[in-house]
Amino acid sequence: MDIKLCFYDLLRSTNETAAAAAAEGAAEGTVIVAARQSGGRGRLTRHFVSPEGGLYFSLILRPAIDPGCAAQLTLLAGVAVAEAVNYLYETDKAQIKWPNDILWQGRKVCGILSEAALNETGIDYAVIGVGVNVALKAEDIPADLQGIAASLSVETGREVTPRCVLDEILRRFDDLYEEWLQKGAAPMLERWRRLSCTLGAQVRVLDDGRELCRGTAVAVDARGALQICDEQGSCKTFDFGEISLR
Ligand code: ATP
């Protein structure tokens, strides 16, 4: 993929700018990068805190695939981010919480938000939004997120630039994406499973705060859906979407 980087000081949301550019015909590989976001978004219109020091970017893709597979791009991006962070910080502490968070010893250092637009023939474009807390100061993390969110520079004492993290993520994403297009999800999911902190964990599945089930996360299937089994051995499978894991 030909990568074309477009830098901004401040955007409301890189996903919003990328979606507008894609709708205007921007090519696959276009990357919208902002030093700050004033209205960074998570899933379900949640806010993503985006002060200076973080890495905020959205990558435009135009995969010729079944739209039902588009959600796998979230998992693919998670592998690229977790592997990039572990490589750059020489650690194995970055792990993936299904489906879209990168955690560092249990606290979130990255959120991923994938969105897709369809046309008559399939996917018109997908936008993969990534926010990484590369070098946020401790005081930049709001009080209600202390204990939930973490900054890589604070956790590691190492200064890696957002640009360096961006380049490493994109390099890995590009390789994973080519492999995914050619061979399907299996090789990517194999790497995802190795990085997961969800598999084997006790979890609660919430839909808008309402508990749908609790049990052990036992598997991620060939499509990327999560299987959860309760103590009685009864199992349910959840696609990405509206649910949250706790
Ligand atoms: P859930 O854990 O319920 O599945 P999520 O992890 O998918 O949700 P998103 O909707 O992707 O969450 O992201 C928004 C959430 O991330 C916010 O509700 C907040 O808890 C948390 N958050 C916001 N800004 C940051 C940040 N800079 N770093 C880490 N976490 C953040």
Side-chain angles (χ1 to χ4, degrees):
M1 155 170 45
D2 282 334
I3 299 286
K4 181 182 170 220
L5 300 175
C6 308
F7 289 96
Y8 297 83
D9 271 347
L10 174 66
L11 289 177
R12 189 156 61 191
S13 142
T14 58
N15 263 34
E16 188 180 284
T17 300
E24 295 283 312
E28 171 160 283
T30 305
V31 185
I32 305 294
V33 192
R36 289 177 295 142
Q37 297 183 109
S38 56
R41 286 187 284 124
R43 299 189 304 156
L44 314 172
T45 69
R46 291 178 193 136
H47 184 57
F48 194 80
V49 174
S50 311
E52 185 113 37
L55 168 65
Y56 314 104
F57 73 91
S58 297
L59 166 64
I60 295 172
L61 299 172
R62 297 188 182 276
I65 53 150
D66 172 359
C69 296
Q72 291 169 7
L73 288 166
T74 293
L75 303 183
L76 193 156
V79 174
V81 174
E83 289 187 354
V85 167
N86 283 334
Y87 171 75
L88 290 170
Y89 293 86
E90 299 176 288
T91 177
D92 55 6
K93 287 183 179 150
Q95 292 188 304
I96 310 173
K97 177 187 158 205
W98 185 91
N100 67 330
D101 290 342
I102 308 301
L103 305 187
W104 180 276
Q105 298 188 305
R107 286 187 295 151
K108 182 162 162 177
V109 290
C110 166
I112 296 167
L113 179 67
S114 306
E115 298 175 296
L118 306 182
N119 58 22
E120 319 73 54
T121 53
I123 297 175
D124 182 9
Y125 63 84
V127 167
I128 313 300
V130 177
V132 189
N133 299 336
V134 176
L136 271 57
K137 299 189 208 74
E139 60 268 26
D140 288 337
I141 297 176
D144 60 329
L145 292 185
Q146 300 282 346
I148 296 175
S151 167
L152 290 168
S153 59
V154 174
E155 296 308 308
T156 63
R158 290 172 67 160
E159 291 300 333
V160 180
T161 61
R163 176 61 199 263
C164 182
V165 177
L166 171 67
D167 289 344
E168 191 60 34
I169 292 172
L170 290 176
R171 193 172 67 75
R172 286 168 186 271
F173 189 98
D174 197 11
D175 288 350
L176 279 158
Y177 182 61
E178 286 307 320
E179 186 182 50
W180 180 74
L181 289 173
Q182 279 164 27
K183 300 186 186 161
M188 177 277 288
L189 285 171
E190 205 36 58
R191 283 157 78 171
W192 189 94
R193 290 184 186 101
R194 280 201 291 272
L195 291 158
S196 159
C197 59
T198 298
L199 294 178
Q202 293 296 314
V203 296
R204 294 194 299 139
V205 179
L206 305 180
D207 176 12
D208 204 13
R210 193 171 56 92
E211 184 172 300
L212 293 184
C213 102
R214 65 169 70 199
T216 308
V218 294
V220 165
D221 72 13
R223 292 174 308 114
L226 183 68
Q227 191 184 36
I228 295 171
C229 299
D230 68 17
E231 278 177 4
Q232 286 72 45
S234 136
C235 298
K236 287 186 184 140
T237 299
F238 294 90
D239 278 316
F240 331 136
E242 309 299 284
I243 62 160
S244 293
L245 282 192
R246 292 286 179 271

